Amino acid sequence: MRKTRILFVASEAVPFASSGGLGDVIGSLPAALTAAGNEKLDVRVIMPFYGSMEESGEYKLTKLCETYINLSWRRQYLGIYTLEHRGVRYYFLDNEYYFKRPALYGSFDDGERYAFFCKAVMESLPIIDFFPDILHAHDWQSALTVIYLRRRYGLMDGYRDIKSVFTIHNIAYQGVYGHEILGDVFDLSPSDLEVVDYNGAINLMKGAIVCASAVSTVSPTYANEILFPTYSNGLHFVLEHNKGKLRGILNGIDTDYYNPETDREIFANYSAGDLQGKAEDKRQLQLLAGLEEREDVPLLAIISRLAGHKGIDLVMGMAERMLSGDVQLVVLGQGEHIYESFFKDLAARYPGKVCTMLTYDKALSKKIYAGADMFLMPSKSEPCGLAQMIASRYGTVPIVRETGGLFDSIRDIGWQGGGNGFTFAPYSDAELLGAVWRACYTYGDKAAWKELAEKVMRVDFSWQTSAKRYIDMYNDVLS
Ligand code: GLC
């Protein structure tokens, strides 16, 4: 029997290049789908070949071809590389002019860079000899593939039967540009405005939502939230109109990569049945972070991009009151200047009690997940959020706001049947403080806390269930 072919189109994937949650998902979902698909799925990934990959020299790539493609009036080099990683085939599209840059995103010409990427994806299918049954594009950087498929390539042999799925990982980034570059950069024509135009501008995410056979986002609650103006960043009309093809599927995490029993990047290993190692991880973290070495004080962690929608202003509002109590705080992350300087200042004023590390470092983040007691994630909006799941896996109890995927993954211990964390709903620093105090109060009861930490560790955040939901979506699209 011929396998169902799925091609993931995305701008990042762990371990090759990643800036956040999207990379984690693209790095773990394809393997989970392959496993859940009982040999019936052939899932592959196509992404840009970034300069950082070349420099690392870590990967044994095979070059498939060198060619030139058109993007509007431009004629651009395209190299295609491939490799297999953990049973999944990856394709990397190379063009140094576009992708040999110090950072993945944030260039003045990101629109053109990802237009090139999308055009190159469409042109690559005959070369890699993989015409998928479903082209599964993620976020605005890949949105044009869905648009090109519907408006151009879908009329051509090979492409005709391809269906498309578009997944929104964060609706805050939509790829919005002026009409003047419609033809020049995006290689579209005025008639295509009927799908890409929104509020007087080109909106690539909107175009993909309109053109895709199905649309998904990364949690059921977020799928509902984005139908409303508070969360939709303006796209609620479009989503309401396309509600019939929208669904929310909660992300999972790679439970092998994040496994306190085997993780070599943490100081001591442990499991839900035996938490001894976690105490050692806490001691070592306190040492590393220059905090007082004390076993009995609750150690709170924040690992986050320091951005507005992560709810950092709530932390700013309650930090002093929180620190009037006997707690410790470790912050890891980078972002907006106002937040960075706040946490730097806080650490200076509370030596031994607060430690701020303004960087992004995976190995260090795991040491913090393992060594902390509680994990703060008071996001204003959160499509899914992975950090609360990773923290749970390491027995670090999440304190979260009830929004998006946080609501779908963490329930308050006060819920019927008991929960797996501490939650609050209104976006207020007093509410966050209240949740922290409740957690600290529970922490005071050693037996209760141990029981909670063990329970939290046992929650299944693997991809297993969600991979099945994706397969259901593919089947719906193909039926
Ligand atoms: C984005 C979202 C985050 C989600 C991730 C992966 O980074 O902000 O909530 O977990 O994508 O889907």
Side-chain angles (χ1 to χ4, degrees):
M1 199 186 83
R2 184 178 163 281
K3 292 185 178 183
T4 302
R5 299 168 152 210
I6 316 284
L7 183 62
F8 270 46
V9 185
S11 54
E12 50 180 86
V14 165
F16 308 109
S18 172
S19 76
L22 173 66
D24 273 298
V25 171
I26 306 303
S28 53
L29 176 56
L33 283 169
T34 309
N38 279 334
E39 309 285 312
K40 289 193 200 109
L41 291 183
D42 182 354
V43 189
R44 305 189 187 184
V45 181
I46 191 161
M47 63 183 279
F49 182 75
Y50 293 103
S52 54
M53 284 182 60
E54 189 182 26
E55 280 148 30
S56 84
E58 260 177 72
Y59 307 106
K60 278 215 167 53
L61 294 150
T62 309
K63 190 177 216 167
L64 291 180
C65 84
E66 285 191 350
T67 179
Y68 282 83
I69 65 160
N70 296 331
L71 179 67
S72 187
W73 50 268
R74 300 167 192 78
R75 192 142 181 86
Q76 286 287 9
Y77 169 86
L78 168 66
I80 308 180
Y81 291 85
T82 186
L83 60 68
E84 201 179 292
H85 177 70
R86 292 173 64 187
V88 176
R89 170 119 337 250
Y90 286 80
Y91 300 97
F92 301 94
L93 303 184
D94 178 34
N95 177 300
E96 290 194 354
Y97 167 68
Y98 287 128
F99 299 124
K100 203 169 180 175
R101 309 252 176 125
L104 299 192
Y105 317 123
S107 294
F108 74 99
D109 58 347
D110 279 0
E112 183 181 327
R113 295 170 67 221
Y114 289 101
F116 168 79
F117 168 61
C118 289
K119 193 75 193 292
V121 168
M122 302 315 286
E123 292 291 320
S124 296
L125 304 188
I127 305 174
I128 63 175
D129 191 21
F130 191 74
F131 284 101
D133 298 292
I134 293 179
L135 178 141
H136 187 166
H138 299 261
D139 272 355
W140 78 266
Q141 294 92 338
S142 309
L144 266 171
T145 56
V146 177
I147 300 165
Y148 287 149
L149 180 67
R150 172 57 66 93
R151 306 291 293 187
R152 299 270 183 294
Y153 289 79
L155 305 170
M156 288 159 55
D157 280 347
Y159 296 84
R160 199 163 285 128
D161 297 327
I162 304 177
K163 300 274 190 287
S164 61
V165 170
F166 182 65
T167 297
I168 301 168
H169 292 262
N170 196 336
I171 207 160
Y173 308 100
Q174 299 173 359
V176 178
Y177 295 93
H179 279 171
E180 63 282 359
I181 59 172
L182 180 76
D184 186 85
V185 171
F186 295 129
D187 209 348
L188 294 170
S189 51
S191 64
D192 295 316
L193 279 177
E194 68 188 49
V195 298
V196 295
D197 176 63
Y198 194 59
N199 281 343
I202 297 170
N203 186 316
L204 299 176
M205 185 172 267
K206 182 252 175 177
I209 293 169
V210 172
C211 292
S213 320
V215 177
S216 76
T217 186
V218 289
S219 69
T221 295
Y222 194 63
N224 187 46
E225 285 173 345
I226 54 179
L227 296 173
F228 298 94
T230 324
Y231 291 97
S232 74
N233 287 72
L235 281 183
H236 48 284
F237 291 118
V238 178
L239 288 163
E240 183 60 40
H241 217 77
N242 289 275
K243 207 169 150 181
K245 58 181 182 185
L246 174 67
R247 68 182 88 190
I249 304 175
L250 193 69
N251 285 333
I253 55 168
D254 182 337
T255 45
D256 293 328
Y257 180 70
Y258 296 111
N259 182 356
E261 279 188 72
T262 53
D263 194 333
R264 297 217 183 146
E265 288 174 311
I266 63 177
F267 294 108
N269 293 117
Y270 58 96
S271 67
D274 178 6
L275 283 170
Q276 256 183 29
K278 188 164 172 66
E280 175 63 11
D281 282 305
K282 178 170 178 178
R283 204 177 66 80
Q284 294 285 355
L285 175 60
Q286 287 171 327
L287 257 175
L288 176 103
L291 302 174
E292 278 174 46
E293 254 180 83
R294 283 174 51 198
E295 191 213 323
D296 59 328
V297 57
L299 172 44
L300 282 85
I302 295 174
I303 302 177
S304 173
R305 232 172 332 115
L306 301 178
H309 75 95
K310 293 290 180 186
I312 306 297
D313 47 337
L314 291 193
V315 181
M316 281 172 78
M318 52 71 93
E320 297 284 346
R321 278 173 289 164
M322 179 174 80
L323 291 165
S324 69
D326 193 18
V327 299
Q328 293 182 340
L329 175 68
V330 175
V331 181
L332 173 71
Q334 310 179 289
E336 289 167 34
H337 178 73
I338 166 174
Y339 302 131
E340 291 198 352
S341 59
F342 171 79
F343 284 119
K344 231 162 55 189
D345 177 61
L346 203 64
R349 285 189 298 116
Y350 290 92
K353 203 164 174 173
V354 177
C355 171
T356 299
M357 310 185 207
L358 298 176
T359 149
Y360 177 69
D361 177 328
K362 260 216 133 94
L364 184 56
S365 76
K366 285 169 132 195
K367 292 184 175 67
I368 299 174
Y369 283 122
D373 298 300
M374 300 163 194
F375 189 78
L376 276 189
M377 200 159 170
S379 307
K380 192 170 208 168
S381 69
E382 195 60 73
C384 177
L386 302 173
Q388 80 280 13
M389 302 187 193
I390 301 168
S392 303
R393 181 94 175 115
Y394 288 85
T396 299
V397 179
I399 302 174
V400 307
R401 196 174 92 77
E402 294 166 15
T403 184
L406 294 175
F407 181 66
D408 293 331
S409 56
I410 311 297
R411 288 292 149 104
D412 193 83
I413 55 162
W415 272 70
Q416 281 171 328
N420 56 337
F422 297 86
T423 74
F424 65 101
Y427 191 74
S428 106
D429 51 35
E431 293 284 338
L432 169 59
L433 187 64
V436 170
W437 285 153
R438 283 197 295 124
C440 291
Y441 181 77
T442 311
Y443 182 85
D445 180 343
K446 287 287 161 238
W449 190 262
K450 181 166 170 280
E451 198 182 314
L452 178 60
E454 288 176 1
K455 179 175 181 196
V456 159
M457 283 185 81
R458 290 201 171 100
V459 177
D460 180 9
F461 285 125
S462 76
W463 272 110
Q464 249 186 0
T465 315
S466 297
K468 292 202 185 93
R469 303 240 153 92
Y470 274 100
I471 294 175
D472 289 343
M473 172 165 64
Y474 297 148
N475 287 336
D476 289 349
V477 164
L478 293 173
S479 64

